[in-house]
Amino acid sequence: AQTVTQSQPEMSVQEAETVTLSCTYDTSESDYYLFWYKQPPSRQMILVIRQEAYKQQNATENRFSVNFQKAAKSFSLKISDSQLGDAAMYFCAYRSDNAGGTSYGKLTFGQGTILTVHP
Amino acid sequence: NAGVTQTPKFQVLKTGQSMTLQCAQDMNHNSMYWYRQDPGMGLRLIYYSASEGTTDKGEVPNGYNVSRLNKREFSLRLESAAPSQTSVYFCASSTQGFTEAFFGQGTRLTVV
């Protein structure tokens, strides 16, 4: 079974600065997807960024980028120019992409990291 | 475009009571899921439905039952609620290629 570990229960950053959230995972599979989800106080789960394991290039979405290290099984999220609206719980998640399709999109989540942004 | 809609948003139950959490999606997705979120544990999969007419257990299915009523609706039932089922429950659905999951707003359930 796959596991996802977020070792930072809480992180803080000053507005306009950069912060990196860590995520490691364990899997024996070669094909999979990795995700970062944001959960603000409203509880809504919002997809921040997605990385396909077969792609060597790190995904970027505006101020959000990842550092995907497949051999090390590491998937960190970098938030640049942090804004007050970035304050939230962030979840790292894994999804198998097995050829048989039997994963059916099931996600395995990490424990979450609470990000505080100071003005 | 409503996406994934869950009802209710909040619920308080007494131990032993039963209830059904409702979920509906309007995105024509085949696959739907129920997760629970507990502090320090992230979200854990309770049950999922790969397609209409099929359901399977996830990581933490004990104490729950599900029904895939049709392609749009996937309900979660607690037959005899226990305090250990106090949690936030999320319904989700997936795109055809499972490249993204869309979540409902969550239900905060407290069992006293």
Side-chain angles (χ1 to χ4, degrees), chain A residues 2 6 33-35 37 39 41-48 50 52 89 91 94-97 101-112, chain B residues 9-10 31 33 35 37-45 48 50 56-59 88 90 94 97-108:
Chain A
Q2 296 79 26
Q6 294 178 248
Y33 286 79
L34 295 164
F35 305 84
Y37 278 89
Q39 185 182 47
S42 66
R43 283 208 309 258
Q44 184 67 48
M45 294 288 286
I46 302 165
L47 178 65
V48 174
R50 174 178 61 235
E52 293 89 337
M89 173 84 83
F91 290 101
Y94 172 102
R95 177 181 80 69
S96 174
D97 190 29
T102 56
S103 71
Y104 298 119
K106 295 178 288 183
L107 292 168
T108 300
F109 286 86
Q111 301 89 333
Chain B
K9 289 185 173 55
F10 300 93
S31 299
Y33 316 83
Y35 292 89
Q37 180 181 2
D38 301 293
M41 304 188 75
L43 281 74
R44 293 178 293 168
L45 183 66
Y48 68 100
D56 280 291
K57 296 178 180 179
E59 182 183 353
V88 178
F90 285 95
S94 280
F98 310 122
T99 53
E100 183 173 350
F102 293 82
F103 287 81
Q105 318 93 307
T107 297
R108 180 175 293 280

Side-chain angles (χ1 to χ4, degrees), chain A:
Chain A
Q2 296 79 26
T3 59
V4 178
T5 302
Q6 294 178 248
S7 59
Q8 305 157 318
E10 299 182 22
M11 292 285 285
S12 64
V13 64
Q14 291 293 133
E15 199 175 4
E17 294 190 345
T18 296
V19 65
T20 298
L21 308 184
S22 300
C23 173
T24 59
Y25 59 95
D26 188 24
T27 184
S28 59
E29 299 174 329
S30 58
D31 297 321
Y32 50 87
Y33 286 79
L34 295 164
F35 305 84
W36 279 98
Y37 278 89
K38 172 185 178 181
Q39 185 182 47
S42 66
R43 283 208 309 258
Q44 184 67 48
M45 294 288 286
I46 302 165
L47 178 65
V48 174
I49 201 163
R50 174 178 61 235
Q51 175 78 44
E52 293 89 337
Y54 67 86
K55 290 187 177 178
Q56 293 186 349
Q57 187 173 4
N58 289 325
T60 62
E61 289 287 344
N62 300 314
R63 298 182 295 106
F64 298 88
S65 61
V66 299
N67 183 4
F68 173 49
Q69 302 288 331
K70 191 172 185 180
K73 297 179 182 175
S74 171
F75 183 61
S76 60
L77 175 69
K78 186 172 81 171
I79 305 174
S80 303
D81 186 25
S82 297
Q83 300 176 359
L84 295 177
D86 295 333
M89 173 84 83
Y90 287 81
F91 290 101
C92 178
Y94 172 102
R95 177 181 80 69
S96 174
D97 190 29
N98 57 339
T102 56
S103 71
Y104 298 119
K106 295 178 288 183
L107 292 168
T108 300
F109 286 86
Q111 301 89 333
T113 297
I114 299 172
L115 177 66
T116 302
V117 181
H118 298 288

Side-chain angles (χ1 to χ4, degrees), chain B residues 4-112:
Chain B
V4 179
T5 303
Q6 288 181 236
T7 55
K9 289 185 173 55
F10 300 93
Q11 183 71 48
V12 178
L13 286 179
K14 293 183 179 179
T15 297
Q17 286 185 321
S18 62
M19 78 160 296
T20 300
L21 306 184
Q22 306 286 353
C23 175
Q25 52 93 8
D26 62 2
M27 296 173 283
N28 200 37
H29 290 165
N30 282 332
S31 299
M32 298 184 72
Y33 316 83
W34 278 104
Y35 292 89
R36 60 176 288 173
Q37 180 181 2
D38 301 293
M41 304 188 75
L43 281 74
R44 293 178 293 168
L45 183 66
I46 306 171
Y47 270 93
Y48 68 100
S49 172
S51 60
E52 186 179 354
T54 68
T55 60
D56 280 291
K57 296 178 180 179
E59 182 183 353
V60 288
N62 291 346
Y64 305 95
N65 285 301
V66 291
S67 295
R68 184 73 182 268
L69 304 171
N70 47 56
K71 191 172 186 178
R72 289 186 64 249
E73 299 173 285
F74 187 39
S75 62
L76 178 72
R77 182 160 179 84
L78 287 71
E79 291 290 352
S80 179
S84 61
Q85 295 178 304
T86 293
S87 188
V88 178
Y89 291 85
F90 285 95
C91 177
S93 67
S94 280
T95 55
Q96 287 298 107
F98 310 122
T99 53
E100 183 173 350
F102 293 82
F103 287 81
Q105 318 93 307
T107 297
R108 180 175 293 280
L109 175 67
T110 301
V111 183
V112 298

